[in-house]
Amino acid sequence: MSEAQSLFAVLRQSADTDCVAALERLVRDAPDRRLARINVLEFAGREGLKEERTIATFLQAAQIGLLDMSWNVLCPSCSGVLDANTSLKSVRSQEYYCAFCNLNNEPTLDDMVEVSFTVNPRVRRIAVHDPDQLPLWEYYRQVFWGRGVDLPEEGLEAAMQQVTLDAVELPAGEKAFLSLQLPAGFVIVLEPVSHAAQFINVTGEPTQDRQNVTLVYNNLRAPTGEITLRPGTIRLSLENRTATRALPTVWVVDDKFAALVGKRRPFLTAKRLLSNQTFRDIYRTDTLDVDQRLKITSLTFLFTDLKGSTELYERVGDLVAFDLVREHFRTLNEIVAAEGGAVVKTIGDAVMATFLTPDHALSAALRMREAMRRLNSTHGREDLLLKIGIHEGPCLAVNLNERQDYFGQTVNIASRVQGLAQTRSILATAPVIDNPKSAEVLSSNGQKPMAQSHPLRGVAAEVAVYEIP
């Protein structure tokens, strides 16, 4: 039995059967380019699979060594990969510079860090395992751009040639000279390996004189320069002083170019993965460094607590109460996972969970309340009285007490909103209720939130809070 067959046999023991079968077909039959930085969401859609099950399968495949996981920092403008990391721990919180767009951006986990998967070379060796050997346009597809860029599956080279004046592969230490006719407009000379760019603003009257430009590639990432030239002939002198090949490409940036490289599709973000229960179960403490602080611009927090749990232990005894509380935790965990969220931690009888969007948190809260009602009906007593608070906003992903956690005022408000809740109450703030998809959830359940206003400790202004009856 080959190593790949052995690893798939292991994967089948824990992962979704259909997802494993689809992944095995991909590894066995797909062309190399489709096994490099796999976009899990695109793969799930193409195969007709549930996204959450597919993500879980890929995570389990990475855990056993079938796939290698990569955390890619993207430029939010062009979706170029500015940095590729084998761990989130390597993603720095300082700004990343994109030469292509001439922009500095502070990374956020919402849409600037994508998570992709590449087949491990022990399972199948593919071209991207030796990126210096990739053809020019496949280098752009497989290495330079992120998985959210929707490039043509077939005929990429022909499509790129339509917007390219010239391109050359320049070995380490070599020089090259290109003679080109510059059209009026905007031209970029981009070198994707070193992420160096030169902007050329081509304007004015055409000239018969030859214009000369020299570009030297080294290991320094200098700011993008801009020069102004006139339409006409240019002699472009290129020198590669790096230890690897360079791939300078001369592009005409126009509507045709934007149409080719501007299409986007969904991809798996770091934010989504951190709120994935399978990821948290597998990686637990090995996610962030102690001193690392990474921003998330929007995350929804749900806090729960059991009302009167102390009295419950006194009333029914430790053993019965323990079984009831454990059943309550198991039920809440199942609901959180089913709504695409993750349990961050439990504190006594309380739960802190995260969701990508407010509507999923609200749907989970309604399901939790109904589930507690059913449990109480089954046991014939009103023992499990759940209080729930929900809030959405920005936060920091951090490492606290040897676990991946969250920090910030959004977390504080969510916790304190839960503290206002009475027996069986669901309280949510305005950002949750005002979300358009939340309105759909409430409408489908026949719920009409009732506005309240409460002072919260540590919050200067009163916070609009809504009770879901």
Side-chain angles (χ1 to χ4, degrees):
M1 182 181 289
S2 69
E3 184 165 7
Q5 290 172 323
S6 299
L7 290 173
F8 274 111
V10 172
L11 185 61
R12 276 191 288 271
Q13 296 175 14
S14 58
D16 180 86
T17 302
D18 292 337
C19 294
V20 176
L23 178 58
E24 190 168 15
R25 289 193 301 271
L26 183 77
V27 171
R28 183 185 64 237
D29 303 330
D32 283 7
R33 65 175 180 271
R34 286 179 54 192
L35 296 172
R37 290 187 183 164
I38 301 166
N39 180 335
V40 181
L41 305 187
E42 189 271 336
F43 172 79
R46 188 173 65 244
E47 296 291 335
L49 302 169
K50 298 288 187 182
E51 286 186 356
E52 293 301 321
R53 292 182 181 180
T54 308
I55 293 169
T57 299
F58 274 66
L59 288 170
Q60 291 164 324
Q63 183 187 29
I64 65 176
L66 257 169
L67 303 174
D68 295 326
M69 185 161 54
S70 180
W71 303 75
N72 310 315
V73 181
L74 306 180
C75 170
S77 178
C78 71
S79 289
V81 177
L82 306 178
D83 192 21
N85 306 271
T86 58
S87 168
L88 186 57
K89 290 182 177 181
S90 304
V91 176
R92 65 178 191 267
S93 57
Q94 295 85 358
E95 289 185 336
Y96 284 83
Y97 175 68
C98 177
F100 191 15
C101 302
N102 196 21
L103 290 174
N104 278 302
N105 293 282
E106 185 178 4
T108 65
L109 300 184
D110 302 72
D111 54 11
M112 275 190 66
V113 180
E114 75 166 8
V115 183
S116 61
F117 297 83
T118 300
V119 66
N120 187 283
R122 292 178 300 142
V123 174
R124 174 176 160 184
R125 188 155 192 89
I126 59 174
V128 81
H129 292 140
D130 191 4
D132 284 345
Q133 301 302 315
L134 280 171
L136 171 68
W137 301 119
E138 284 303 320
Y139 186 92
Y140 274 104
R141 183 206 301 272
Q142 298 181 38
V143 179
F144 181 77
W145 270 307
R147 298 305 90 188
V149 178
D150 191 3
L151 295 171
E153 183 71 17
E154 303 291 342
L156 177 62
E157 180 174 356
M160 295 303 296
Q161 292 289 3
Q162 297 296 313
V163 296
T164 305
L165 290 179
D166 208 346
V168 63
E169 180 174 339
L170 197 58
E174 296 291 321
K175 297 180 181 179
F177 301 93
L178 302 179
S179 183
L180 307 170
Q181 284 295 122
L182 287 181
F186 198 71
V187 171
I188 293 179
V189 184
L190 177 68
E191 202 296 290
V193 181
S194 61
H195 284 252
Q198 175 68 58
F199 294 167
I200 305 175
N201 185 20
V202 186
T203 186
E205 293 296 321
T207 179
Q208 298 299 317
D209 297 331
R210 189 175 68 182
Q211 304 167 100
N212 296 296
V213 174
T214 298
L215 299 177
V216 176
Y217 300 111
N218 49 43
N219 292 319
L220 300 176
R221 289 196 177 186
T224 299
E226 180 172 343
I227 58 176
T228 299
L229 298 176
R230 293 163 63 183
T233 303
I234 178 178
R235 186 175 189 268
L236 192 58
S237 174
L238 306 167
E239 182 178 355
N240 181 11
R241 294 182 184 174
T242 71
T244 60
R245 70 171 180 170
L247 300 170
T249 312
V250 187
W251 275 327
V252 178
V253 181
D254 55 14
D255 291 344
K256 187 184 295 185
F257 178 83
L260 178 59
V261 304
K263 297 176 184 176
R264 297 292 182 265
R265 58 190 171 196
F267 58 87
L268 179 61
T269 64
K271 168 185 165 179
R272 179 166 182 176
L273 203 55
L274 292 183
S275 286
N276 177 275
Q277 193 64 55
T278 302
F279 175 79
R280 297 190 68 92
D281 291 344
I282 291 176
Y283 290 93
R284 295 186 182 273
T285 62
D286 189 30
T287 305
L288 295 167
D289 273 335
V290 174
D291 296 326
Q292 204 172 7
R293 309 285 187 270
L294 294 174
K295 288 186 176 180
I296 297 176
T297 58
S298 171
L299 195 63
T300 304
F301 292 87
L302 180 150
F303 281 82
T304 74
D305 197 12
L306 282 175
K307 180 177 176 60
S309 57
T310 302
E311 293 82 355
L312 171 64
Y313 279 84
E314 292 180 353
R315 185 170 67 253
V316 301
D318 288 348
L319 186 60
V320 174
F322 175 77
D323 286 341
L324 282 170
V325 172
R326 185 174 61 176
E327 189 173 10
H328 136 271
F329 276 134
R330 179 186 58 78
T331 301
L332 297 193
N333 282 334
E334 289 176 354
I335 292 172
V336 169
E339 288 293 338
V343 173
V344 178
K345 58 187 174 185
T346 58
I347 311 143
D349 297 327
V351 167
M352 171 185 174
T354 58
F355 297 85
L356 296 182
T357 54
D359 56 305
H360 283 284
L362 197 55
S363 180
L366 293 168
R367 292 176 62 180
M368 289 174 179
R369 183 165 65 181
E370 181 58 32
M372 293 305 104
R373 283 176 176 161
R374 288 198 301 269
L375 284 175
N376 287 332
S377 177
T378 299
H379 295 291
R381 296 187 303 268
E382 295 292 302
D383 290 327
L384 301 173
L385 304 176
L386 199 62
K387 304 184 297 177
I388 303 173
I390 312 171
H391 181 52
E392 177 269 337
C395 63
L396 293 175
V398 299
N399 186 316
L400 287 176
N401 301 319
E402 299 185 344
R403 76 166 75 216
Q404 190 266 307
D405 207 333
Y406 299 93
F407 179 82
Q409 189 72 321
T410 298
V411 184
N412 296 335
I413 290 174
S415 175
R416 287 162 189 167
V417 166
Q418 182 276 314
L420 297 173
Q422 302 300 314
T423 304
R424 287 180 174 166
S425 292
I426 298 174
L427 296 183
T429 59
V432 175
I433 298 300
D434 292 343
N435 182 280
K437 291 188 177 180
S438 293
E440 294 177 12
V441 172
L442 293 171
S443 176
S444 64
N445 284 272
Q447 305 285 346
K448 293 183 179 180
M450 298 182 295
Q452 305 174 1
S453 186
H454 294 278
L456 297 178
R457 181 170 54 87
V459 181
E462 287 195 347
V463 175
V465 177
Y466 295 80
E467 182 174 5
I468 315 299

